[in-house]
Amino acid sequence: MWSCCRGPLPDPPYANYREAHLIPFNKPFMTGRELSHIAQAHANGHLSGDGQFTKRCHALLEQRTGAARALLTHSCTAALEMSALLLDLQPGDEVIMPSYTFVSTANAFVLRGAVPVFVDVRPDTLNLDERLVEAAITERTRAICVVHYAGVACEMDTLSDIASRHGLAIVEDAAQAILSSYKGRPLGTIGALGALSFHETKNIISGEGGALLCRDAHFAERAEILREKGTNRSRFFRGQVDKYTWVDVGSSFLPGEITAAFLSAQLEDADLINQRRLAIWDRYQDWAARHEAEGRLVRPTIPADCVHNAHMYYLLLPSLEARTQFIQSLRQQGVQAVFHYIPLHSSPAGRENGRTGSTMAVTDDISDRVVRMPFWLGMEAHFPEIFAAADVALAG
Ligand SMILES: *Cc1c(COP(=O)(O)O)cnc(C)c1O
């Protein structure tokens, strides 16, 4: 009777305390200077794109990467779409790419009518397996879109050699790879075109945001035009033409100045952010060594030619069941770990718009076993809790 009048009794206090106070998987890091940069943009009264802060970001990115041209976009997705436009892809053209990636890698090309041809990944780096690429090339192949998973480079010498022998362009989905390099070359500038992301889950952020990198001057001028709705507006503002007009098929790919102001603060502190991320990554890697030695998991591999940027810390557990249990146990202990990437070749839109160009044995296997640990600046204080919880989860 009481329960009828009062409704169900509340849960005992703090029963869900741990669930409600999870150590989150991600938390955006802010340097503290973003707001003053935004205030400056506000005071400048220039809020559309390509103002002072966008130019500052372009200069910083060009300095850091050595790209002939860096152009801010509103996302990495937009930069990939620009790449597909710049390559003049036609319906039926094929683009080789991994299946173990985010959907934007494929969408950008599918929007142009091109067909993603999915190739398996390497079991060590989870990057496109360069040994399987050549067999997937047909007379319709136009490009290879590599993804540097976790900010660790693909085997770019082999891939560049394959691409040049077959007359293919390389686009780098370097969404996760800012400040990473391969044999000393910054990722995003080894292929003709590279796409960076500044989404809040990445290393350097502006909420939503991205950049297109043009390795050499070849694509730079047309990239500028496509980004400005197909007009030569940028040349007009530089006084290079006396009126601006519609000259190509493009769209609006540029962010406004408020976003660029935020991003400029982050880019100015990029090295500090990178160092702190690497220190976090190293602590995970040290902690996991014993578990790897005892066969409970496999740690990530960084090939000798690669300098990475600690974009994420992932582990490979022995099976899907082991991963499910691990994530659940961590959750019960107040730690949020996640998995990701349903392989594109087994997704509804991937099956409809793409095809496989190799077996998918590794992709199918590892996509069930990858788990990503919490990773954000400021989480260092939680390491004792996270390691203790993970030790328990792995013991069970
Ligand atoms: C995050 C990510 C993207 C998309 O980036 P946005 O800036 O959100 O468009 C594309 N590819 C990969 C591999 C990513 O990790």
Side-chain angles (χ1 to χ4, degrees):
M1 199 198 301
W2 280 106
S3 63
C4 153
C5 303
R6 297 170 52 194
L9 288 172
D11 287 332
Y14 303 121
N16 293 322
Y17 179 83
R18 284 207 164 275
E19 287 265 328
H21 294 82
L22 282 179
I23 296 170
F25 164 70
N26 181 58
K27 217 174 183 179
F29 174 74
M30 287 174 240
T31 68
R33 277 196 278 274
E34 289 83 358
L35 279 180
S36 64
H37 285 46
I38 287 172
Q40 183 61 51
H42 183 271
N44 289 348
H46 179 145
L47 299 178
S48 62
D50 281 340
Q52 171 199 320
F53 284 104
T54 302
K55 290 192 174 86
R56 170 127 188 84
C57 291
H58 288 171
L60 285 169
L61 286 169
E62 285 163 13
Q63 258 167 39
R64 296 305 300 244
T65 63
R69 199 83 178 83
L71 293 168
L72 291 195
T73 54
H74 50 75
S75 62
C76 175
T77 302
L80 290 167
E81 288 174 16
M82 287 179 68
S83 303
L85 282 165
L86 286 164
L87 295 179
D88 281 323
L89 292 181
Q90 301 301 311
D93 286 348
E94 294 178 353
V95 180
I96 290 171
M97 65 181 67
S99 167
Y100 190 65
T101 181
F102 187 62
V103 297
S104 295
T105 316
N107 260 326
F109 300 102
V110 171
L111 279 170
R112 307 258 60 81
V115 179
V117 174
F118 301 117
V119 166
D120 211 356
V121 290
R122 288 165 47 146
D124 57 350
T125 56
L126 315 190
N127 277 332
L128 191 63
D129 191 334
E130 65 279 1
R131 295 162 303 185
L132 303 177
V133 166
E134 203 144 19
I137 295 173
T138 72
E139 69 276 11
R140 298 305 306 265
T141 309
R142 296 287 315 283
I144 303 171
C145 185
V146 302
V147 178
H148 304 297
Y149 182 69
V152 179
C154 296
E155 182 28 52
M156 291 307 289
D157 275 355
T158 308
L159 289 162
S160 301
D161 176 58
I162 294 169
S164 69
R165 277 191 285 109
H166 293 270
L168 310 176
I170 291 187
V171 175
E172 294 176 70
D173 179 338
Q176 304 177 5
I178 190 166
L179 299 184
S180 296
S181 61
Y182 169 83
K183 297 190 177 177
R185 284 134 78 200
L187 300 191
T189 63
I190 300 172
L193 297 163
L196 301 176
S197 175
F198 304 118
H199 185 265
E200 84 167 38
T201 52
K202 303 302 200 289
N203 291 23
I204 303 294
I205 62 173
S206 60
E208 304 282 350
L212 178 74
L213 301 177
C214 301
R215 181 188 59 205
D216 26 56
H218 173 61
F219 283 119
E221 189 180 327
R222 189 159 168 239
E224 227 172 50
I225 289 169
L226 302 190
R227 176 170 167 275
E228 268 287 16
K229 302 94 181 163
T231 71
N232 54 0
R233 192 166 184 267
S234 304
R235 302 196 71 201
F236 171 69
F237 280 117
R238 287 198 298 263
Q240 292 166 317
V241 288
D242 59 8
K243 56 184 182 307
Y244 81 84
T245 172
W246 185 24
V247 295
D248 203 336
V249 176
S251 188
S252 185
F253 289 115
L254 70 169
E257 274 288 284
I258 302 287
T259 298
F262 188 105
L263 180 63
S264 66
Q266 293 260 325
L267 286 171
E268 284 160 8
D269 273 339
D271 287 316
L272 286 171
I273 293 172
N274 207 40
Q275 279 162 25
R276 276 185 72 182
R277 291 191 76 98
L278 285 165
I280 291 171
W281 196 94
D282 289 344
R283 290 215 35 205
Y284 269 128
Q285 188 77 339
D286 289 346
W287 159 79
R290 177 173 60 88
H291 292 294
E292 185 177 65
E294 292 169 9
R296 284 185 284 271
L297 52 77
V298 173
R299 297 181 301 164
T301 303
I302 313 291
D305 291 328
C306 303
V307 173
H308 74 116
N309 63 353
H311 171 61
M312 69 169 93
Y313 194 81
Y314 71 87
L315 297 167
L316 282 165
L317 293 186
S319 65
L320 175 60
E321 298 70 43
R323 180 177 76 179
T324 307
Q325 272 174 24
F326 180 73
I327 292 175
Q328 201 184 337
S329 169
L330 282 183
R331 193 173 185 89
Q332 283 160 358
Q333 299 179 79
V335 178
Q336 184 186 29
V338 303
F339 64 86
H340 70 162
Y341 297 160
I342 307 303
L344 300 184
H345 76 277
S346 44
S347 310
R351 279 206 295 265
E352 188 173 326
N353 297 292
R355 65 175 177 81
T356 54
S358 75
T359 75
M360 284 292 145
V362 178
T363 299
D364 288 333
D365 173 41
I366 57 92
S367 57
D368 278 346
R369 300 195 289 116
V370 167
V371 59
R372 299 177 61 183
M373 300 300 285
F375 207 119
W376 40 277
L377 298 202
M379 62 162 282
E380 294 92 329
H382 297 291
F383 264 130
E385 242 175 298
I386 293 171
F387 292 156
D391 288 341
V392 168
L394 288 165

